[in-house]
Amino acid sequence: MGRQRKPKVAIGQAGGPTAVLNSSLYSFIDKAYQDYEVYGIKHGFQGLVNKQFVKFDNKLLKQLEKSRDVPGAFLGSGRYPMNEKDMYQSIQNLKEQQIHALVFIGGNGTMWTCRQLEMIAQKMNYDLSVIGIPKTVDNDLHETDHSPGFGSAARYVALSVRDIGKDLQAMQNFESVRIIETMGRNVGWLTAASMYLKETEVQPPHFIYVPERPFILKNFLHDISETMKSIGHATVVVSEGIRDEKGELISQLSLTVDKHNTVLGGAAAFLAKTVSKELNLASRPELLGMNQRCSQLYVSPQDRIEAEALAKEAAHFLRKGSSGIMVTIIRESLQTDKYMFKIGCTDLAKVAGLERPLPTHFLDEKGTKITNEYRNWLRDIVGSDIKGYPKGLTELVLEK
Amino acid sequence: MGRQRKPKVAIGQAGGPTAVLNSSLYSFIDKAYQDYEVYGIKHGFQGLVNKQFVKFDNKLLKQLEKSRDVPGAFLGSGRYPMNEKDMYQSIQNLKEQQIHALVFIGGNGTMWTCRQLEMIAQKMNYDLSVIGIPKTVDNDLHETDHSPGFGSAARYVALSVRDIGKDLQAMQNFESVRIIETMGRNVGWLTAASMYLKETEVQPPHFIYVPERPFILKNFLHDISETMKSIGHATVVVSEGIRDEKGELISQLSLTVDKHNTVLGGAAAFLAKTVSKELNLASRPELLGMNQRCSQLYVSPQDRIEAEALAKEAAHFLRKGSSGIMVTIIRESLQTDKYMFKIGCTDLAKVAGLERPLPTHFLDEKGTKITNEYRNWLRDIVGSDIKGYPKGLTELVLEK
């Protein structure tokens, strides 16, 4: 009797990359490799539709290992909204290859597609296990304490905003206002992380504006004016996806959107212009940009540890026969000093296409500052190794 | 007979901050403090005109020491173009305080003002020593091998562009082109530094465009098209100050400039729109922004060492009776493996208001790539501790 063939699993990366997306990929494959024939799917869901499978051998695994700590997506990622026909085609493609397990690393859109694929496989009577591994810089996935990718992005935002605010403070006789824009289409987790290293009232950033609260221009201009009066310069942070009371995106009020530019961005540009015009203050927009999700230097060590641990556990769940789940991070120790996490799982149905807003208790009543609860919650995720500037730092420039 | 009073020196910080501007300030004062009564001038030249002097005592020096490694400007910096009346007023202010030595940390504009002040003091028969300490992220000061602030900014650009290009590579079925904009009004040193970690033809960035060469839109679009054909995605880097053949700023062709926004920026935004329109490719502009000059995490250790060494030596030159000079970095070892520098000085007249372009031999013939000479020249300035991604990194996504 011949040697029994290993079962097959296919894995893909979808959505915008994070700084630890390749850590997840490597750890899953490294763990699954013994028990499975592993196929990589190129270019996310598009590659699944187009049969872009690549079988991992020792050489390819070694190659991937080199990319383990490198940003981007080893397999290629992308955004590809599948229609129903694409989904049937995808299952057909897996069937042709006799691949009975599908794993995707992605966000809530990815989890939605995973769930659809699982249901379509059932309709087609094709036996398919589907497992999702979370990944998002926005941190908008439900059911997990937080998601890999977020910790590093939050670290980038916290450190950058601290430094950019300090730079403005030095230039206050030339420039008055900086409006920094972070990623976050519908949730303010990253924007709120900009306050992580803020220790005093005078220290930037002075206010944040998140999609969870309606953006009221009059209040915003008032906040800026008051900060100018009391401090002499103002650094504020907005999410790309802030919306006014009617639900209209502030970024769409900007002139920078064109038909090819489906990417959000432009809220800060619009607001800087408005501040210049309405308050007659020199104001500069600052879009934090792609560095938020790809900066290798800002990777949070804990974020990498968790990305790898989750992916390993996904391989373990698969081997145990699980399907229709996403692996999750469970925080074990909110009340103790020492951060500890364990790994669990949740039904794809509970996360698919859903967005988790920043909880109310992580923001103050006005919604423009964070609470200490959020600061404590963030600490071990962004890395307790990052600190504010030296304690008691008071600069001459601050004195009137 | 009473104890003889120490002579007085006043020091200010001018222009845009760098990540090591406070290192320079601290080192100068720490060195000069024994022999001089040291006065800080708040808010750059504006503070000189408005008599914003602050005497350093032990307490203030301790306070400054905390800011030594912090971005921004401890004294406050700023941009303040002085007219002749301001200059006479400035000398009058120094005279009233019996301050006979003036030191400014700044760029070529600052050095121009220092020289004017020295000449006006002579006209007023006021004995004044004037010394300049270089500082610029643009690296456009003549007579010095390079300037403090540049090494850290170049490090930021090299690492960020590498990561942003890698991120695009992963997203090539969604986005095709990224146009990254760096600082550099008239010189391309920083833009060119974006190629420092590039090791192969396929690796981003694929082309750079610097102010030293006229920007020809047709050639630029051709470069992008060719890169798309051969690689499938294109990351290019432009200086904020690129100009067309008629000398017109590309950034001024953009809609994002308004009357309050005197700051350059917008070349990438304009070009991304043009690429979308002319080549029908999804294209994203990416402005590297303030992080270039203030990111604490990206400080080049060598940059800090040199900032401190130059400032110390400026105090030494002052004590020896020098005036009308700027301290300079002299590279001693271009032909040897080991980087070594010593400190010299030059006449303010040789640097005042002048801009040093990137030398021809640091760019290839077309002017869109750097030579190995530039790469070698940069190595120890940005820090030989930073490396490219692991050798032999080839990703699946690269294969067709």
Side-chain angles (χ1 to χ4, degrees), chain B residues 364-376:
Chain B
D364 71 358
E365 209 176 322
K366 227 183 112 197
T368 52
K369 289 187 180 160
I370 65 169
T371 58
N372 276 329
E373 261 177 288
Y374 186 51
R375 197 169 276 117
N376 293 335

Side-chain angles (χ1 to χ4, degrees), chain A residues 46 63 66-67 77 162-163 167 170 173 260 280 284 286 290-291 293 295-296 298 391 393-394, chain B residues 46 63 66-67 77 156 162-163 167 170 173 260 263 280 286 290 293 295-296 298 391 393-394:
Chain A
Q46 190 174 19
Q63 203 174 312
K66 285 189 182 175
S67 287
S77 186
R162 180 193 66 162
D163 290 347
D167 182 271
N173 67 345
H260 295 279
N280 199 30
R284 187 202 292 265
E286 182 86 19
M290 291 301 112
N291 267 328
R293 72 186 197 197
S295 181
Q296 201 188 31
Y298 283 89
K391 280 277 176 223
L393 185 77
T394 39
Chain B
Q46 191 175 19
Q63 205 173 311
K66 285 190 180 174
S67 286
S77 186
Y156 181 83
R162 180 193 65 162
D163 291 346
D167 182 271
N173 68 346
H260 295 280
V263 180
N280 199 29
E286 183 86 20
M290 291 299 112
R293 73 185 198 198
S295 180
Q296 201 187 32
Y298 283 88
K391 282 276 178 223
L393 184 76
T394 40

Side-chain angles (χ1 to χ4, degrees), chain B residues 42-56:
Chain B
K42 286 165 77 170
H43 302 301
F45 290 113
Q46 191 175 19
L48 183 59
V49 179
N50 297 333
K51 308 188 198 182
Q52 292 180 283
F53 299 113
V54 181
K55 189 178 163 183
F56 270 84

